[in-house]
Amino acid sequence: MDLATLRDTDFGLLHGTADAYERLHGEFDRHLENWRTGVDRRVAAGWTGPAADTATPALRLTTDELAAARTELDRIGKTLRAGADALVLAQSALRKALEDVRSADMTVDEHGAVTWRAPSTAERHDPDHRKARDRTAGALAGRIATALTEADTVDRALTARLRHYATRARDGTGLDPAAAGRDRLDPTLAPRDLLSGAVPGPGAPPTEVNAWWNGLPADRQQWIVAEYPELVGNRDGIPAAARDRANRILLHRYIEEYARNGSPATGQHRRKLEGFRRIGERLLESAGQEPPVFLLGIGDEGQGRGILSFGDPDTADDVTSLVGGLGTDLQRIGGGDADRAKAVYDAAQRADPTRSTASIAWLGYDAPLSFPEAGDLSRAQGGVDAYRRFLEGQRVTHQGAPAHVTAEGHSFGSLLVGLAARKPAGIAADDVILVGSPGTDAFHASEFSVGADHTYVGAASWDHISHLGWFTRDPASVDFGAHRFAVDGGSPDFTAHSSYWDDGPGDDRTSVDNIGRIVSGHGSRITPAAGRHD
């Protein structure tokens, strides 16, 4: 597809065609139901004998053919709708890029090449000015090329799918129930997948996702949030406010879907439904209060996914993301882990009320739900890339000066954080906090991308989990090389492992206040504790 075609085509005509097919499908659905109730079932219920035996199979065949035709009409209408939407997205991105070309006092030719006017004498002798203009022209040309590529991809896919249905209509297979069923199950014919050609792929880095988002006009951004929230709600690189709006829509859908499809309402299905409901309750409880709460992620993959932020991570001076460990599920994200994130928010504000904070409870992996599962390193490994991408996304969408970012891990979650920080490219964080850790698969804190001097460890003397040493060396040991901060020693009743964020009126706040100092950028002010020698 060339620039002029994408820029000037009225895709409203394609939307109009989709409307017509959807109306036709609705009418055909009513026609099929009338046939079933008025002819097929009535004849089957009251007609017997040789003639009935001959006629009944023919009537059933007609019913099946009508049902197949209804399915095909439904798929055609949805395919046209999704294709039109995807092409409009690409067109909007192109038109926005062309506006930015004009605003930059540049020009673009019919092939998408961007040039800038002849420089003045002073500009000609200013290499920095020339480099800046070249960078701008290159970036704009890249956006134009991307929009054209996306539109061409969608156009080819839409053409192929419509040709498929046209062939079905011509050769009669569109009336074959088996063929219609295969169409419905064929992933290459999924209507909404056409939109994948107009958005960055699932493996796209947050920088690419953010560039795509910023290249859309504001009205298109609002439209895609409302119409296709699943495309933006869980994408790192999309601003927090847009993710929150999209994920609230998705949360409502999940609650409705899981409540409606409650059989079998056992095990994981029930836990997810209860978790979605608890997150919804938390959002209602927090409405209108400070800090505002953002739903940065929601999903039903695996055991469920959920990310809640107390404070806006796109504007906060300090951002921290807590990865929970053993027993962390969706209910905990709306319950105990949300309480912990809020306690860290409050502690950071006490530590430095001149700075703004965003404190996040992050569940982007299948946390172990039992002690045997907690011995499985692969569970933590399965969340490493998602956590690293999430932190990178926070950097990309942040407004103004870069935030001070802290990666927190509790219990098994500290293993995930440690694995992420040991990756060759590291993590997009300034400090790491490990609390109640059974190990991080590292021998020394210097193996983390933040370095030993920016690694902090909290471990209560009665926290039995922190003494396990399951994954290499105890982070609270002297030999690990991290800063150990003071915490309440706890009691021998196994509550110490979960008490680090206790923030009630009668609680010992030693631990959470030290965490708050680190999160607010004042790690030098922690109350230190000696490293273990055992």
Side-chain angles (χ1 to χ4, degrees):
M1 183 174 292
D2 60 40
L3 188 151
T5 300
L6 181 58
R7 180 193 62 207
D8 300 333
T9 298
D10 179 7
F11 291 114
L13 298 174
L14 195 54
H15 277 118
T17 306
D19 290 340
Y21 266 94
E22 288 170 358
R23 285 194 301 271
L24 180 59
H25 169 258
E27 292 296 328
F28 206 87
D29 186 56
R30 284 186 286 275
H31 171 62
L32 173 59
E33 192 56 33
N34 289 337
W35 168 266
R36 278 178 169 159
T37 57
V39 179
D40 194 0
R41 292 171 186 164
R42 181 176 296 178
V43 168
W47 190 14
T48 60
D53 293 340
T54 302
T56 297
L59 291 174
R60 292 287 163 78
L61 175 61
T62 300
T63 301
D64 289 344
E65 289 178 339
L66 290 173
R70 179 188 60 179
T71 298
E72 297 287 278
L73 289 171
D74 178 50
R75 301 289 285 184
I76 293 170
K78 289 177 177 176
T79 296
L80 287 165
R81 173 81 55 203
D85 287 345
L87 288 168
V88 167
L89 271 182
Q91 184 184 64
S92 298
L94 173 66
R95 289 177 173 176
K96 179 71 162 53
L98 295 177
E99 288 177 10
D100 292 344
V101 167
R102 289 190 291 272
S103 298
D105 196 21
M106 296 182 178
T107 58
V108 58
D109 67 17
E110 62 183 27
H111 302 294
V114 177
T115 56
W116 41 290
R117 60 172 174 75
S120 65
T121 302
E123 290 170 345
R124 250 194 327 268
H125 296 288
D126 182 352
D128 290 336
H129 175 80
R130 189 164 59 251
K131 288 178 182 177
R133 297 292 278 179
D134 284 343
R135 281 196 302 271
T136 300
L140 289 168
R143 286 168 56 190
I144 292 169
T146 297
L148 292 173
T149 299
E150 290 171 350
D152 189 64
T153 299
V154 174
D155 184 50
R156 291 175 185 274
L158 179 59
T159 299
R161 295 182 193 195
L162 293 178
R163 185 176 291 122
H164 167 82
Y165 289 117
T167 300
R168 283 266 200 256
R170 282 195 301 270
D171 65 15
T173 55
L175 299 179
D176 179 0
R182 287 194 296 271
D183 279 357
R184 190 168 56 249
L185 298 174
D186 188 345
T188 66
L189 294 173
R192 291 171 84 92
D193 280 2
L194 284 167
L195 283 154
S196 64
V199 301
T207 50
E208 182 181 331
V209 174
N210 187 251
W212 165 78
W213 178 259
N214 290 333
L216 294 176
D219 64 330
R220 285 291 100 187
Q221 292 174 348
Q222 295 170 6
W223 169 82
I224 198 169
V225 166
E227 296 296 325
Y228 297 100
E230 68 276 10
L231 295 180
V232 295
N234 295 297
R235 296 303 300 271
D236 300 310
I238 301 294
R243 289 180 71 161
D244 177 64
R245 291 195 301 273
N247 285 323
R248 287 172 187 255
I249 296 171
L250 291 175
L251 176 62
H252 180 70
R253 290 182 185 175
Y254 281 127
I255 292 173
E256 282 195 337
E257 176 187 343
Y258 274 72
R260 183 173 61 249
N261 302 322
S263 180
T266 58
Q268 196 171 100
H269 182 104
R270 183 173 62 250
R271 285 196 298 271
K272 287 181 184 179
L273 175 57
E274 292 170 350
F276 291 138
R277 284 174 170 165
R278 183 66 192 96
I279 290 173
E281 290 166 0
R282 189 71 184 218
L283 293 171
L284 286 175
E285 293 165 6
S286 305
Q289 299 183 16
E290 287 294 329
V293 177
F294 294 79
L295 184 59
L296 299 181
I298 197 71
D300 66 347
E301 308 97 302
Q303 296 167 187
R305 303 288 184 262
I307 308 172
L308 275 180
S309 178
F310 290 82
D312 186 350
D314 289 347
T315 59
D317 298 314
D318 303 300
V319 181
T320 181
S321 302
L322 171 63
V323 182
L326 177 65
T328 302
D329 58 10
L330 284 170
Q331 288 191 71
R332 282 270 297 273
I333 289 297
D337 276 36
D339 293 339
R340 290 172 180 176
K342 178 58 164 58
V344 171
Y345 174 91
D346 291 337
Q349 290 294 284
R350 288 195 297 269
D352 190 342
T354 69
R355 295 175 65 81
S356 56
T357 307
S359 182
I360 300 167
W362 186 88
L363 179 61
Y365 79 117
D366 286 336
L369 301 179
S370 66
F371 273 104
E373 289 178 349
D376 182 2
L377 183 70
S378 67
R379 280 186 171 260
Q381 291 170 329
V384 165
D385 288 341
Y387 187 63
R388 293 179 67 244
R389 192 165 53 246
F390 177 75
L391 293 179
E392 182 185 348
Q394 299 305 304
R395 289 288 199 199
V396 168
T397 59
H398 195 268
Q399 303 168 21
H404 168 252
V405 177
T406 304
E408 286 182 80
H410 174 231
S411 188
F412 190 84
S414 69
L415 171 62
L416 189 155
V417 170
L419 291 170
R422 291 182 65 221
K423 283 281 190 177
I427 53 175
D430 303 291
D431 292 307
V432 164
I433 301 176
L434 310 171
V435 181
S437 177
T440 63
D441 206 37
F443 283 98
H444 197 273
S446 60
E447 297 175 38
F448 298 156
S449 58
V450 300
D453 200 43
H454 289 275
T455 302
Y456 300 84
V457 177
S461 55
W462 280 107
D463 181 353
H464 305 284
I465 299 297
S466 72
H467 288 276
L468 289 174
W470 275 353
F471 305 102
T472 315
R473 177 171 285 162
D474 175 8
S477 69
V478 171
D479 293 337
F480 192 73
H483 297 289
R484 187 178 177 193
F485 57 88
V487 301
D488 177 13
S491 58
D493 60 0
F494 289 92
T495 60
H497 187 61
S498 303
S499 301
Y500 296 99
W501 294 270
D502 287 356
D503 199 25
D507 291 326
D508 183 328
R509 289 178 169 174
T510 301
S511 175
V512 74
D513 278 343
N514 277 323
I515 293 173
R517 292 180 187 115
I518 299 164
V519 166
S520 62
H522 299 291
S524 62
R525 287 168 37 195
I526 61 169
T527 307
R532 290 174 178 164
H533 289 276
D534 53 345

